[in-house]
Amino acid sequence: MMREATMRDPRQEASAILKVDLTAIQQNWQSLDRLSSPDTETAAVVKADGYGLGAAEIARCLYRVGTRSFFVAQAREGAVLRDTLSGDFRIFVLNGHMRGDTELITTHQLIPLLNSTDQFARHRQELSGHPFGLQLNTGMNRLGLDPEELSEILSHEDANRAVLVMSHLACADEPGHAMNAYQLKRFHEMTHGLTIPRSLAATGGILLEDAYHFSLTRPGIGLYGCLPFSEARPVVTLDIPVIQTRTIATGESVGYGAQWKASRPCRVATISAGYADGIFRRLGDRASLWYEQQECPIVGRISMDLITVDISSLNCDPPYLQLFGEQQSVDGLAVPADTIGYEILTSLGGRYNRAYGTA
Ligand SMILES: *Cc1c(COP(=O)(O)O)cnc(C)c1O
């Protein structure tokens, strides 16, 4: 695996190569695992195809370093994971037991995290005896049971068979935010007296105090090298091949709308990726790619499949330009894109060659 990525030379490739450093992902998981006590299990969130990077490869590499619980959003994602990875591990489904999911949940041994009394009723009716977890609303008001619904469920004998009770923090990336302590308090109140294993923390919650860790933590973004885990090892490198280069004269324009005009003679490279590859249109004129240590700004509008870049600062025509790597991180690009690393990663799309190994 490592060999494949290190051998893959962007100069030889027709489409961009998204390199995913699995060793870095393993190390990020181990670092996050060390932040909580040895009694706390560290799971891994691989929803949305492992934040766009490839859930199967990521789960496989994490299984090798000891991850035994994975979280996905939808049952279908869990089914794919169950089919591609062998071993003894649990798959939790954050969206719970949705209508039509029963078959997938049984045949692929998924554990739905039930969000409502309706889901609990469905689960009891259709899959009585099959493991489940309970998801609580502690203030985020997105998914989960309110206290009265939880009491109602707990009045059923089979509620004790829940294998996990969890909730999610709305503001864990802001350590000083009052919501953190508030949700922690609510979580304690709602789970008081229960002997079911508990989980509250995603990446941000792990970085708060031990009090947030409980029996199991659920990191996602930190594994993939992004904030709020500032100590994470970067995971992705993206080299995009140059299709064509040309010199343009002062006053000539580049791209759709002829919006960008050269104020001096320029050398422009056209590269093989665009907004269909998750490089948002709003990044036109606002972001740069890199060739080795040299910054090369995007000029003109970003097209669906192409981006034009000013390479005048280089003394050669480069074979490729780099979007993510030593000079620019995913979070670094999130700033001019007015978004967060999560959205950049999950937008990367299906057209890149993904190469797994050490970057
Ligand atoms: C996405 C998600 C996670 C992982 O969050 P990160 O911030 O990526 O670590 C954990 N728990 C729930 C409920 C989620 O939706």
Side-chain angles (χ1 to χ4, degrees):
M1 284 224 162
M2 291 183 193
R3 266 157 286 135
E4 196 198 342
T6 35
M7 275 168 53
R8 208 144 187 178
D9 180 349
R11 280 163 296 201
Q12 310 298 327
E13 300 281 336
S15 58
I17 306 178
L18 182 67
K19 284 190 202 164
V20 180
D21 184 347
L22 295 177
T23 308
I25 295 179
Q26 289 174 323
Q27 290 179 350
N28 289 335
W29 183 85
Q30 287 166 326
S31 307
L32 290 166
D33 185 46
R34 277 194 294 270
L35 290 176
S36 57
S37 89
D39 314 334
T40 298
E41 177 182 355
T42 303
V45 180
V46 295
K47 61 192 180 188
D49 196 24
Y51 289 43
L53 301 179
E57 288 80 3
I58 289 162
R60 194 170 300 122
C61 87
L62 287 174
Y63 187 80
R64 265 191 246 123
V65 291
T67 314
R68 290 295 178 268
S69 295
F70 296 96
F71 285 75
V72 293
Q74 304 176 356
R76 191 188 296 255
E77 297 178 305
V80 172
L81 183 59
R82 182 62 78 195
D83 288 344
T84 50
L85 180 62
S86 55
D88 180 19
F89 57 90
R90 302 186 293 177
I91 302 174
F92 290 96
V93 179
L94 292 164
N95 288 2
H97 189 153
M98 298 280 284
R99 211 171 295 116
D101 277 350
T102 308
E103 173 78 21
L104 284 179
I105 290 171
T106 34
T107 56
H108 296 84
Q109 301 159 64
L110 311 176
I111 306 175
L113 293 158
L114 308 177
N115 291 301
S116 64
T117 48
D118 282 355
Q119 284 200 355
F120 183 71
R122 178 179 301 129
H123 194 74
R124 276 187 0 126
Q125 221 159 57
E126 299 183 9
L127 280 184
S128 160
H130 185 94
F132 61 91
L134 297 172
Q135 192 161 177
L136 311 185
N137 176 27
T138 51
M140 188 174 184
N141 291 317
R142 188 178 68 170
L143 278 185
L145 304 160
D146 287 326
E148 320 74 65
E149 294 170 312
L150 177 63
S151 314
E152 188 191 322
I153 286 175
L154 291 174
S155 68
H156 291 273
E157 213 176 290
D158 14 349
N160 295 318
R161 278 210 330 276
V163 296
L164 189 73
V165 56
M166 61 152 287
S167 188
H168 193 49
L169 297 169
C171 305
D173 57 341
E174 296 176 58
H177 203 292
M179 270 300 272
N180 296 325
Y182 173 74
Q183 287 192 269
L184 178 63
K185 184 166 165 280
R186 299 258 315 215
F187 192 58
H188 274 294
E189 285 162 5
M190 288 179 79
T191 60
H192 181 76
L194 297 181
T195 53
I196 307 162
R198 293 182 288 180
S199 175
L200 182 60
T203 303
I206 297 173
L207 301 171
L208 302 174
E209 303 138 56
D210 294 0
Y212 291 84
H213 297 165
F214 295 93
S215 309
L216 178 144
T217 60
R218 313 180 307 267
I221 197 72
L223 305 174
Y224 308 110
C226 290
L227 290 171
F229 188 27
S230 53
E231 321 240 293
R233 266 191 61 177
V235 166
V236 295
T237 311
L238 180 58
D239 293 323
I240 304 172
V242 172
I243 306 174
Q244 191 179 18
T245 51
R246 61 163 41 78
T247 302
I248 60 163
T250 306
E252 284 195 88
S253 67
V254 174
Y256 279 122
Q259 292 241 308
W260 188 86
K261 289 204 170 56
S263 57
R264 52 177 170 76
C266 280
R267 188 116 186 113
V268 172
T270 303
I271 61 173
S272 173
Y275 60 75
D277 304 290
I279 306 170
F280 306 128
R281 202 163 164 277
R282 61 181 169 275
L283 286 168
D285 286 342
R286 286 219 228 166
S288 294
L289 287 93
W290 297 77
Y291 187 65
E292 291 160 359
Q293 266 58 259
Q294 290 289 323
E295 181 169 6
C296 304
I298 296 176
V299 292
R301 287 192 189 153
I302 290 175
S303 306
M304 186 185 296
D305 319 291
L306 301 168
I307 299 175
T308 37
V309 183
D310 183 354
I311 55 163
S312 307
S313 65
L314 307 180
N315 50 23
C316 66
D317 280 356
Y320 65 91
L321 291 168
Q322 185 166 77
L323 187 67
F324 302 127
E326 274 185 17
Q327 307 297 330
Q328 182 160 259
S329 66
V330 171
D331 291 308
L333 191 68
V335 175
D338 281 329
T339 183
I340 50 177
Y342 299 75
E343 192 185 19
I344 300 270
L345 282 183
T346 54
S347 300
L348 290 176
R351 278 205 296 201
Y352 298 113
N353 279 311
R354 282 167 170 72
Y356 296 94
T358 43

